[in-house]
Amino acid sequence: GIQVEQSPPDLILQEGANSTLRCNFSDSVNNLQWFHQNPWGQLINLFYIPSGTKQNGRLSATTVATERYSLLYISSSQTTDSGVYFCAVEGNYGQNFVFGPGTRLSVLP
Amino acid sequence: EPEVTQTPSHQVTQMGQEVILRCVPISNHLYFYWYRQILGQKVEFLVSFYNNEISEKSEIFDDQFSVERPDGSNFTLKIRSTKLEDSAMYFCASSLGLGDEQFFGPGTRLTVL
């Protein structure tokens, strides 16, 4: 099945810094989504982005499907951005999401 | 904005007991999913459901698990005889079609004692 890797596994930032999180996947995808898991365990959907670029406030994401990677950019980070960020992909022949292992982000005041 | 809801938010049960986790997907969605996340680990796919039948399931989804859409709105996950290792957060999701955005519920945290 499709493999998903995320880097870095852990990231510590000072408030106000920018960061880039990466997701690599091993095959063509129909769907790719980025999630933020908050301290209560809820998965907050950030982007539905199987290809192209999207922006939402301080967050933006780019997926280059032909090169099998996606990037999540966080600018001017805030302490509330802390948590685990997951990338999940749905392969062309599958009906389920495969989640990456996540990037744990800690933003320090 | 329509959302996926799940009940209960937290369920505590004794090992060997049956539990039913409930989900109300978004009303016009056709595909329904269950995922689980053991504490500190990544989210894992359990099962997908379409047209009133299971369309795909993972190795985790063994005979102890079953899913049902008992009416036009609810989607349930039943664990027949819970084990300690079933303790996890269980997420329900729904989508309009294959490859479409999946919308996740807030999760049910299951604790098996």
Side-chain angles (χ1 to χ4, degrees):
Chain A
I2 197 166
Q3 306 294 315
V4 183
E5 299 174 346
Q6 290 187 244
S7 59
D10 295 279
L11 186 57
I12 300 175
L13 300 174
Q14 287 295 135
E15 200 168 24
N18 302 328
S19 61
T20 301
L21 281 57
R22 186 177 180 102
C23 172
N24 291 329
F25 42 95
S26 61
D27 207 343
S28 303
V29 298
N30 275 335
N31 179 7
L32 186 147
Q33 289 179 234
W34 281 97
F35 297 89
H36 174 214
Q37 187 161 43
N38 65 20
W40 297 271
Q42 296 175 341
L43 288 171
I44 308 302
N45 190 15
L46 299 176
F47 293 103
Y48 166 70
I49 188 163
S51 64
T53 297
K54 289 186 178 179
Q55 178 150 11
N56 184 4
R58 295 181 297 104
L59 303 182
S60 63
T62 295
T63 297
V64 184
T66 52
E67 297 187 19
R68 299 182 183 166
Y69 73 88
S70 183
L71 302 174
L72 177 69
Y73 305 97
I74 305 174
S75 64
S76 305
S77 56
Q78 301 175 356
T79 55
T80 51
D81 295 331
S82 296
V84 183
Y85 289 80
F86 290 104
C87 162
V89 304
E90 180 182 321
N92 279 346
Y93 307 104
Q95 298 179 41
N96 57 280
F97 262 157
V98 176
F99 278 75
T103 291
R104 182 173 296 278
L105 175 66
S106 300
V107 181
L108 306 179
Chain B
E1 186 174 319
E3 58 182 15
V4 176
T5 60
Q6 290 185 243
T7 55
S9 55
H10 193 183
Q11 172 99 41
V12 181
T13 190
Q14 293 289 327
M15 191 169 58
Q17 295 296 304
E18 175 183 286
V19 294
I20 296 177
L21 309 184
R22 291 182 166 80
C23 168
V24 178
I26 294 174
S27 60
N28 64 333
H29 283 185
L30 302 176
Y31 290 81
F32 314 115
Y33 313 86
W34 283 101
Y35 297 84
R36 81 168 186 193
Q37 183 184 30
I38 294 171
L39 187 63
Q41 298 186 20
K42 66 178 179 179
V43 181
E44 300 172 290
F45 167 76
L46 290 178
V47 65
S48 58
F49 193 85
Y50 169 72
N51 201 25
N52 279 322
E53 61 183 25
I54 291 174
S55 50
E56 191 172 349
K57 60 182 181 179
S58 71
E59 294 173 352
I60 304 167
F61 194 88
D62 61 23
D63 292 343
Q64 293 296 312
F65 292 89
S66 63
V67 289
E68 194 178 31
R69 190 155 161 82
D71 52 44
S73 59
N74 290 284
F75 179 51
T76 62
L77 174 70
K78 182 192 294 186
I79 308 175
R80 215 178 318 279
S81 177
T82 50
K83 308 184 194 72
L84 295 177
E85 54 265 36
D86 293 328
S87 294
M89 180 78 101
Y90 289 81
F91 293 101
C92 172
S94 69
S95 68
L96 189 57
L98 283 180
D100 289 335
E101 184 174 3
Q102 289 192 25
F103 292 81
F104 280 68
T108 291
R109 186 172 298 282
L110 176 65
T111 302
V112 182
L113 303 176

